[in-house]
Amino acid sequence: MVIALCAGGLAVLRAVSGFRDDAADAREDRRLRDTACLELETRLNRLPPPGATSTPQARATAVRDENAATRIYVGRLDNQRVSDGWRELLDSRTAFAEALDAQVKSRTPAFYVAPAPRDGVSLADQLAHWSPAACAGPIRRLAAPDL
């Protein structure tokens, strides 16, 4: 009987310790994701926004520079659904940059076309929901390269 009580007590202690470890791991993961978003924002803030440029070529370069800065963040993501969403956003921005390059030669205006909404929710809103709150600024900036 004493042995059973001791074994049960040890099992309870291990379970409580396991919950504490899981909570600590979750806090550390959240802190790392927040830090990664803040690093992304810092990289983006060092670059001129596409809307601040005066020519289509300069705007295309600014879009590509922002995409390169964002790919560093996307490469660190563990969640496949979230990284796919970020890549879809980057693909639409790349298409916009290519249209800006073509605009110089053909004089046809380039338009940014955002990724199609899923279930009535824009990709930018989904990314804001899936990502840490610290990513809200970079998401808004990247979702509007034509501004």
Side-chain angles (χ1 to χ4, degrees):
M1 185 74 135
V2 173
I3 294 173
L5 286 174
C6 288
L10 286 174
V12 168
L13 286 174
R14 273 190 240 133
V16 169
S17 177
F19 288 130
R20 286 185 190 156
D21 290 344
D22 290 346
D25 289 346
R27 280 192 301 274
E28 180 64 14
D29 288 346
R30 198 169 27 259
R31 188 189 66 75
L32 290 173
R33 287 191 327 246
D34 287 347
T35 300
C37 285
L38 293 173
E39 288 172 359
L40 169 61
E41 188 167 28
T42 299
R43 282 191 300 275
L44 290 174
N45 286 339
R46 290 182 182 145
L47 300 170
T53 60
S54 58
T55 66
Q57 298 100 330
R59 182 170 283 188
T61 299
V63 168
R64 286 188 183 100
D65 289 347
E66 286 183 341
N67 286 359
T70 304
R71 280 191 183 90
I72 296 168
Y73 171 76
V74 174
R76 294 179 181 166
L77 294 174
D78 293 334
N79 186 314
Q80 187 65 42
R81 178 181 65 164
V82 176
S83 62
D84 287 347
W86 280 93
R87 284 186 186 97
E88 187 175 346
L89 178 62
L90 292 175
D91 289 346
S92 67
R93 292 170 49 84
T94 299
F96 178 56
E98 290 169 357
L100 287 166
D101 288 337
Q103 175 179 331
V104 174
K105 298 172 189 161
S106 67
R107 305 261 187 237
T108 304
F111 298 98
Y112 174 69
V113 179
R118 299 173 187 159
D119 300 325
V121 180
S122 74
L123 179 61
D125 289 342
Q126 288 178 348
L127 286 174
H129 176 73
W130 296 336
S131 301
C135 279
I139 291 169
R140 281 192 306 274
R141 178 173 174 168
L142 295 168
D146 52 343
L147 297 180

